[in-house]
Amino acid sequence: DPYYSFSPRSPRNVFYRKRVYATAEHLFQAMRFLSANNHSEAQAKTSCPTVDEAIALARTHERTQRGDWGAVQFSKLEEISYLKFTQHDDLLSQLVATYPAPLAWATPRDALFGLGTNGQGRNYLGLTLERVRNRLKED
């Protein structure tokens, strides 16, 4: 897939608060636990070698995730996506070149961030990438 690099799972480092995360997904999972006082703990909870391991480990700590996660997760996804694309010029160019096409994460495994099994998912990742793309075009 020529657009796999748009996925938070793609192997592109993201630099955030003086730390490097292996993928945008690693940072997204860490954001579930980030606060002013526990950055190291959040990174440790998601510093697994693979995305699937980071997600699984974060899920084992759900009871300690930030209380407002449900309210902020989509804005955090946008923040992380913006960081990823501004830190990788090739990805930035590739994303901007998709304008004005609608973007969708065509995964059957996720009906919230993608299209889901029936193509009727909420597609929050695709919509987020469209907003990031629009912002990058304006920059």
Side-chain angles (χ1 to χ4, degrees):
D1 177 359
Y3 297 104
Y4 179 72
S5 58
F6 289 6
S7 166
R9 296 172 151 267
S10 73
R12 296 295 188 113
N13 292 339
V14 180
F15 185 74
Y16 180 76
R17 290 190 184 175
K18 301 180 183 178
R19 296 180 191 267
V20 176
Y21 291 83
T23 68
E25 185 69 41
H26 280 80
L27 177 53
F28 184 74
Q29 295 303 320
M31 287 277 193
R32 294 168 65 169
F33 307 98
L34 281 178
S35 71
N37 300 323
N38 74 350
H39 191 133
S40 294
E41 179 184 345
Q43 188 176 33
K45 286 179 179 172
T46 59
S47 62
C48 301
T50 70
V51 170
D52 289 336
E53 289 173 312
I55 292 169
L57 184 58
R59 286 184 179 150
T60 67
H61 294 279
E62 278 183 337
R63 70 187 186 297
T64 63
Q65 79 183 14
R66 46 189 297 170
D68 64 348
W69 183 242
V72 302
Q73 66 178 320
F74 302 116
S75 64
K76 294 301 180 185
L77 176 63
E78 188 164 337
E79 177 184 357
I80 293 164
S81 297
Y82 183 81
L83 289 171
K84 175 182 173 177
F85 286 92
T86 57
Q87 292 172 15
H88 298 280
D89 291 340
D90 60 322
L91 294 182
L92 187 151
S93 297
Q94 188 180 13
L95 179 62
V96 170
T98 66
Y99 184 83
L103 300 175
W105 188 29
T107 179
R109 298 185 323 169
D110 193 332
L112 181 61
F113 290 95
L115 294 177
T117 55
N118 64 3
Q120 301 298 312
R122 297 201 172 193
N123 191 36
Y124 281 121
L125 177 59
L127 297 172
T128 296
L129 293 177
E130 288 178 23
R131 284 192 302 278
V132 169
R133 177 185 65 193
N134 294 340
R135 185 174 166 194
L136 293 170
K137 274 184 56 71
E138 294 172 4
D139 287 351

